[in-house]
Amino acid sequence: MPKTSANRYFTSTAVFLNEVLKLSVSIWVAYLERRKVDGLKAPVAKSISHLCGDVFRSDNWKLAIPACLYTLQNSLQYVAVSNLDAATFQVTYQLKILTTALFSVLMLHRNLTAKKWASLVMLTVGIAIVQLPAATKPVPDDPDMNRAIGLVAVVIACTISGLAGVYFEKVLKGSNTTLWVRNVQLSFYSLFPAFFIGVVAKDGKEILERGFFDGYNNVVWSAIGCQAFGGIVVALCVNYADNIAKNFATSISILLSFVASIYCFDFEVTVGFMIGASIVLFATWLYSAPEGLIPRWKQEYVPLEQTDSEADHDGKNHEGEETVGKSSIDELKRSD
């Protein structure tokens, strides 16, 4: 990282700016959509008024729920990480894949076959193996660390992650409100916990001393931009696919991140990584494979002489239908 300050940037300010950037992009796209509906010759003030009406409609409060849930989830992640070693946290946090599937069944009445459940379990195991540290040093007993509290926190965080994601999908697909208006609503309500809980309560004192943008550089701004863009892409994925597909995409992105780390950070490829990556890729293929797919080598072999074009010796084909035998055809030709 290029040194622009003696201190690191505040993560709370980056999270807040991420929401501001998502809100700005969503407002702009929602405004362009509104202009298409109103007509390009309509007054700008009229389109802005209609957009405000769309955003602050009677059901806009519904997006405050996932916004608060995501904030609570992030807070619980900090609690879990503070009370668990890295390996335990990385493995247990992958339970969010299964909680997302469970809430999809309960709230969206989605039907998941045994094959799909098996692929989801494999995905959870595979991505947990991938994220396991290559070598874990024994963690000394820390009186401030409570393993029970950490495990409870990570389980609740996984549950909230699945609930918030599926709830957002249900709201998104359960009304005629456009995706970009919903994005505006979600980003708007996310500003309040990001600012008051993160910026003010968590780092407020230090921010007043060092400044809001202390420690910022091109890398930090690029990360904020990527996070904002990623958040918008997630909403698109949920809208046009579902949360389960989003989890598969996220898992594949983790593999790509590890591959990039080989060139950027001299990451050493381990046997565990290769096994975990193989499981993830196979689980992704298994989930998307058509139901009732029969491997080619298990298909029944039918000899050429027993196909529909030829009759068997009893004057019937392999489906039991009566046919005209070759001898009968020869006799007809001779009679002509």
Side-chain angles (χ1 to χ4, degrees), residues 285 294-301:
W285 172 84
I294 303 176
R296 188 180 299 272
W297 59 84
K298 291 186 180 180
Q299 292 180 356
E300 183 181 0
Y301 171 71

Side-chain angles (χ1 to χ4, degrees), residues 60-75:
N60 75 87
W61 58 269
K62 293 180 179 179
L63 273 299
I65 296 175
C68 294
L69 287 175
Y70 283 131
T71 303
L72 178 58
Q73 174 197 342
N74 290 335
S75 302

Side-chain angles (χ1 to χ4, degrees), residues 9 13 44 54 67 80 124 162-163 203 214 216 222 235 263 271 276 292 307:
Y9 69 98
T13 61
V44 173
D54 292 338
T124 304
L163 175 61
D203 297 321
D214 184 45
Y216 273 64
S222 299
Y263 300 97
V271 176
T307 58

Side-chain angles (χ1 to χ4, degrees), residues 262-297:
I262 297 174
Y263 300 97
C264 298
F265 306 111
D266 298 324
F267 171 74
E268 182 180 350
V269 179
T270 62
V271 176
F273 171 79
M274 297 300 297
I275 294 174
S278 301
I279 294 175
V280 169
L281 294 175
F282 179 75
T284 305
W285 172 84
L286 183 64
Y287 186 87
S288 58
E291 295 295 333
L293 183 66
I294 303 176
R296 188 180 299 272
W297 59 84

